[in-house]
Amino acid sequence: MFLPQIARVALDLPLRRLFDYRVADGEQLSASDIGYRVRVPFGRHEKVGILVELPVASDLPLAQLKPLGDVLRDLPPLPADWFRLAEFCADYYHVPLGQVMLSTVPAGLRAVKQVKARKSRAVLPNAAAAAKPPELTGEQQVVLTSIAESGDGFHAYLLHGVTGSGKTEIYLRLIERALADGQQSLLLVPEINLTPQLEARVAARFPAAGLVSLHSELGDAARSRNWRAALTGEARIVLGTRLAIFTPLPELGLIVVDEEHDASFKQQDGIRYSARDLAVFRARQRAIKIVLGSATPSLESWANATAAGRGRYRLLTLSERAVEGARLPAVQRIDTRLDKPQDGLSSALLRAIEERLARGEQSLLFLNRRGYAPVLACAACGWTSHCHRCAANLVLHLADRRLRCHHCGFEARLPKACPTCGNQDLSAFGRGTQRLEAVLAARFPEARVLRVDRDAASSRKQWEALVARIYSGDADILVGTQMLAKGHDFPKLTLVGAIAPDAALFAADWRAPERLFAQLMQVAGRAGRAEHPGEFLIQTQFPEHPLYTALVGHDFPGFAAELLDERQQAGFPPYAHQAMLRAEAPLMADALGFLKSARHCPAVEGQHAVTFYDPVPMRLARRASFERGQLLVESPARRALQGFLADWLPQLEAIKAPSRLRWHLEVDPLEF
C-alpha cells in the first residue's frame, strides 16, 4: 500500500520543534533534496523553511498534515556541515533549531515571493595585476612555516602579534595557499568599520579571486547575492562580521578570526552566540585550520594556548613590528594627582600635543565616552538629566542641543531652565568626546580638530570620509572612542593620549580590567611607524597599578598570567562555565519572582554539579521601562552545565509568568 511521503521542515519560530508536511501525491523527494528551501502553509499565511528530514512517520495523523509547497531549487541545497553547525549552535546555546537556521539566511532568500537574483560584480574575476606582497620578516616566516608543517586536518592557532607586526600579511599568505589548493576562505572581523580597509587590501592581493563581504550594513539584495555566491562556490573569499560564521561554504579550507578577543563577536540579543567559538567548532568538524589573531588575546584563548589549556591551541608569536626600524610606542604614565588636568588635559599632555603640531604630526586623544557631558544638573535643587525609562542619565549632546539616553535611545530637547525649580544656570558635569573637542579647538585654534565617534560616523559612508581625512593629513588632533582603537595605520599619527581610563579599574564587572588593557594596548598601537616613533601617554591617578605597569612594558603575557591566576583562585572563567538567566518586567518584583521560581525548579534539586547565585537586579536595573534581574548558574564542568540546562529549560518554559514578563537564557555570558 502506498503511503504519502512526509517532509520535516525547520521554520523561523520560537518553538523547539520541527514541522511535518505531506508531500503531494505524484511528487517524490530524495535525500539529495534535504537542505533546499521550501514554501509551506503556516496558519493563514505561507512561510519559507528548510527541508531537514524525510521521516518515515509523523507524530500527527497523516490527515492532519498540510501539503508541502514548492521546493525552491534556484540554489544548491545547504551543505551537511552547515546543518551540523546550526545544530551545534541550537544545542549549545539552547535555542530553537529553526530560528538558528532561518535567521542566518538573508532576508531576501526567506521571502515567500522570491526576487530573481542578479549576479554580483563583486565576485567576478578581473584582469588587474595583483599587488606585490611585502618581504616577510623572520618571525613571519617562522609562523608560516609552523602552520605549513602541521599537516592537514584540524589545527587551531593563536597568533599573538603586537600591533603593526604583520598579522594581516600572515592571513593573506594563508588565503593564498587555500586558493592554490582550490579551497574557500572565511575571514571574520569584529566590526563593520574594519571591513573597507581590509576588503581593499584583500581585493588588491587577489584580484582574480571571487571576494564578497557580508555584514549588517549591506542591503538585502547585496547580502543575498553575496551569500548565494558563497554557497555556489563562486566566491572564494568571504570577509564578514560575526553573522558570516553561518555562511554556507562547500569548499571551506581556512578560517581566520581577526581581533579574536573583541566582544563584538558575541551576539548580545536574539540568539546569543559567540562567532569565535562557533568558528573553532566549524574548523574542527570540517577538519581544517583556524587562526585566531590578536595583540591582546582573550584570556579564554590564551589559556587554551598555554599550559593552563593543555595546548588546545598552538601559540604563535610576532613580537616585533613588521617594518624595519619600527618600534613599539613608548608608554608613559602621567600622575594626575601631581599634574592636575585642566579641562581634562594635563600640562604634560598639552606639551606633547604642541610638539606634534610643530612637527606637522598627528595626535589622538582617546576618550571612550561620546557626547558632551555624561549629565546635566541643577545646583540649586539637585535635578539631574535622568532618563525616565532607564536607570541612567541622559547624556548632553551640545552640538545638536539634545539630551540622549545611550541605552534606550530616548532623547529630548535641551531645557532652557531647570524643569523642577526654573533655575537657568544648569551645569554640565563630566566630559565626553564633544566637550573634549571643544576644549581642544579653544586651546589650539590653529589646529584642525576631528572627532571620530558613533555620532560623527553613524554610517559606513561617513566613517570612510573621516578615515580619508585622517589619511590625507586633513586633521591635526583626533578625538576618538574605541572606533579608532584598532585596525588602522595612520602614518602621521605619533602621539596617543588616554583620558580618564581609571574608572574601569574598579568596575563591578570582573572582566573590566581585561577589556581596559586590550583597549589601551590597541589604541597605543596607533602611535608611530618606522620613521616616526610613537608615544602613548596615560593620565591616571593610579600610576603604580599593575595594569599600567604591564602596559609600560607591553607585557601582555605577564598581565594575562596574573589575571588567570586571580580567576583560578576565584573560580571564574575559563576555570568555570556559566549561564545567565535574565528576566525583565514592568515591575522588579515580577522579574525577581520569576527568577526565584526558576531557582527552585525540580531540575535545580537534581544531581547536576551546578552552583546558583541569588537572583539580583542587573547593573542597569531599568532599561526602556522594564525592570531587569538576573540569575547566574555556574559549574566547573561544561558538560555538567549543559546537562543541567537541557533539563532546566523545559521547566522554565512551564513557569506561569506575568503577561509582560520576558526572559532569556545566555550561555557563556560576557556582560554582568
Side-chain angles (χ1 to χ4, degrees):
M1 180 179 176
F2 175 78
L3 292 177
Q5 195 176 21
I6 299 168
R8 189 156 290 164
V9 177
L11 296 175
D12 187 6
L13 294 167
L15 301 172
R16 301 176 194 281
R17 51 165 294 197
L18 302 173
F19 297 85
D20 290 351
Y21 290 87
R22 186 181 70 254
V23 179
D25 294 342
E27 184 174 354
Q28 193 71 15
L29 301 181
S30 67
S32 62
D33 292 312
I34 291 176
Y36 278 123
R37 291 166 300 129
V38 293
R39 286 196 193 98
V40 297
F42 191 86
R44 298 182 179 180
H45 305 283
E46 275 193 323
K47 285 184 172 292
V48 169
I50 296 173
L51 180 62
V52 299
E53 191 180 351
L54 296 171
V56 296
S58 173
D59 292 337
L60 294 175
L62 288 174
Q64 293 184 19
L65 298 184
K66 293 183 178 181
L68 184 74
D70 296 332
V71 178
L72 304 176
R73 293 187 171 90
D74 57 321
L75 280 173
L78 291 158
D81 72 299
W82 184 89
F83 270 72
R84 291 195 294 271
L85 177 65
E87 289 164 354
F88 172 79
C89 180
D91 290 344
Y92 186 80
Y93 295 105
H94 300 274
V95 290
L97 178 61
Q99 282 192 323
V100 174
M101 287 185 165
L102 274 300
S103 66
T104 62
V105 173
L109 300 177
R110 287 184 274 126
V112 173
K113 293 184 178 180
Q114 297 291 308
V115 179
K116 187 175 181 180
R118 294 178 299 167
K119 185 168 283 189
S120 170
R121 294 180 181 180
V123 301
L124 294 179
N126 58 64
K132 184 179 179 181
E135 293 291 326
L136 294 175
T137 67
E139 284 188 325
Q140 287 174 322
Q141 189 62 64
V142 168
V143 165
L144 285 169
T145 301
S146 298
I147 296 174
E149 291 179 348
S150 62
D152 296 331
F154 169 69
H155 296 279
Y157 303 94
L158 178 61
L159 179 59
H160 174 221
V162 299
T163 52
S165 61
K167 294 187 292 295
T168 303
E169 183 59 32
I170 296 293
Y171 307 155
L172 295 176
R173 298 286 179 126
L174 294 174
I175 291 172
E176 184 178 31
R177 293 177 182 176
L179 290 172
D181 292 337
Q183 298 173 329
Q184 294 172 294
S185 298
L186 175 61
L187 175 52
L188 297 179
V189 295
E191 299 205 29
I192 297 169
N193 295 331
L194 299 181
T195 309
Q197 183 182 14
L198 187 56
E199 185 177 21
R201 187 169 174 182
V202 175
R205 181 67 69 87
F206 307 112
L211 166 67
V212 297
S213 290
L214 288 169
H215 53 73
S216 60
E217 283 207 0
L218 287 177
D220 287 346
R223 187 174 185 88
S224 295
R225 289 197 304 270
N226 292 355
W227 196 88
R228 283 174 178 269
L231 174 58
T232 61
E234 184 184 4
R236 309 308 294 172
I237 306 169
V238 172
L239 170 63
T241 49
R242 61 176 175 257
L243 188 59
I245 186 57
F246 292 102
T247 308
L249 293 155
E251 298 173 294
L252 181 62
L254 171 71
I255 300 177
V256 174
V257 184
D258 191 27
E259 308 289 1
E260 66 86 29
H261 69 280
D262 200 289
S264 297
F265 283 121
K266 182 68 184 289
Q267 176 79 13
Q268 295 296 338
D269 55 19
I271 302 170
R272 293 166 169 81
Y273 64 91
S274 165
R276 180 199 64 205
D277 295 349
L278 289 181
V280 174
F281 170 83
R282 190 171 188 181
R284 181 182 289 112
Q285 57 125 357
R286 286 278 309 197
I288 61 174
K289 295 174 181 176
I290 180 170
V291 177
L292 310 175
S294 177
T296 54
S298 65
L299 290 189
E300 287 80 4
S301 295
W302 188 257
N304 279 330
T306 56
R310 299 177 183 175
R312 292 187 182 93
Y313 303 166
R314 182 172 178 183
L315 179 62
L316 303 172
T317 303
L318 297 173
S319 61
E320 298 177 354
R321 288 189 156 176
V323 178
E324 185 176 352
R327 301 188 303 273
L328 292 172
V331 181
Q332 296 187 35
R333 294 160 286 186
I334 300 172
D335 190 340
T336 54
R337 296 169 300 182
L338 304 176
D339 187 351
K340 296 187 181 297
Q342 299 296 317
D343 293 321
L345 301 171
S346 63
S347 60
L349 183 54
L350 288 170
R351 286 194 301 271
I353 295 172
E354 289 171 347
E355 292 171 4
R356 268 60 184 192
L357 290 172
R359 298 202 297 257
E361 297 171 359
Q362 292 174 325
S363 303
L364 164 62
L365 299 189
F366 174 67
L367 176 60
N368 207 25
R369 185 186 300 127
R370 61 191 176 96
Y372 185 85
V375 64
L376 186 68
C378 173
C381 71
W383 171 87
T384 59
S385 56
H386 193 75
C387 178
H388 70 281
R389 303 175 65 201
C390 301
N393 291 321
L394 296 175
V395 177
L396 171 61
H397 287 250
L398 197 58
D400 50 4
R401 302 188 64 78
R402 306 291 285 180
L403 294 171
R404 290 199 181 98
C405 179
H406 290 177
H407 300 284
C408 73
F410 173 81
E411 62 178 74
R413 288 179 296 180
L414 184 65
K416 296 180 180 179
C418 174
T420 301
C421 70
N423 175 29
Q424 296 185 359
D425 189 17
L426 300 178
S427 301
F429 286 92
R431 96 186 11 89
T433 49
Q434 288 183 5
R435 189 170 194 171
L436 187 58
E437 176 189 26
V439 168
L440 288 164
R443 180 65 177 77
F444 302 105
E446 76 286 359
R448 295 164 296 179
V449 182
L450 182 64
R451 174 169 50 85
V452 183
D453 56 22
R454 293 288 180 194
D455 298 315
S458 58
S459 70
R460 176 169 171 169
K461 190 170 291 186
Q462 290 175 320
W463 167 252
E464 290 175 349
L466 289 175
V467 170
R469 286 187 61 186
I470 300 171
Y471 273 108
S472 68
D474 189 26
D476 303 308
I477 305 174
L478 313 177
V479 178
T481 59
Q482 61 181 349
M483 291 181 70
L484 276 178
K486 54 203 171 191
H488 307 284
D489 299 325
F490 302 124
K492 296 180 67 177
L493 180 60
T494 61
L495 172 68
V496 173
I499 311 296
D502 288 344
L505 295 177
F506 308 102
D509 188 347
W510 48 269
R511 293 186 188 270
E514 177 186 2
R515 293 195 186 105
L516 177 61
F517 188 89
Q519 278 185 347
L520 295 181
M521 280 281 282
Q522 291 284 339
V523 75
R526 301 309 112 219
R529 287 300 178 259
E531 66 277 16
H532 299 296
E535 186 176 21
F536 181 40
L537 303 183
I538 306 171
Q539 293 189 162
T540 174
Q541 296 185 62
F542 309 97
E544 303 308 317
H545 193 283
L547 185 148
Y548 296 134
T549 301
L551 280 169
V552 170
H554 299 276
D555 184 17
F556 174 80
F559 181 71
E562 184 176 329
L563 281 188
L564 283 172
D565 184 59
E566 291 177 0
R567 291 193 186 178
Q568 187 170 30
Q569 293 181 42
F572 286 166
Y575 304 101
H577 305 280
Q578 297 177 329
M580 185 76 80
L581 178 65
R582 295 190 175 97
E584 57 183 26
L587 298 176
M588 181 61 78
D590 288 341
L592 294 181
F594 173 84
L595 297 175
K596 289 174 183 175
S597 297
R599 171 69 178 82
H600 295 100
C601 282
V604 177
E605 311 301 332
Q607 301 302 311
H608 298 286
V610 297
T611 300
F612 274 82
Y613 293 80
D614 291 334
V616 294
M618 291 179 61
R619 187 172 49 184
L620 183 65
R622 182 177 177 83
R623 179 176 179 176
S625 300
F626 275 81
E627 303 286 344
R628 312 193 305 164
Q630 63 186 26
L631 171 63
L632 180 63
V633 188
E634 190 175 80
S635 175
R638 192 187 304 274
R639 186 183 297 273
L641 179 63
Q642 284 290 325
F644 166 74
L645 295 177
D647 289 345
W648 195 33
L649 201 57
Q651 298 179 35
L652 295 179
E653 293 172 335
I655 295 175
K656 188 175 182 180
S659 59
R660 295 190 65 193
L661 183 138
R662 305 181 298 214
W663 62 271
H664 69 264
L665 181 67
E666 181 175 1
V667 180
D668 301 332
L670 289 184
E671 302 290 338
F672 287 84

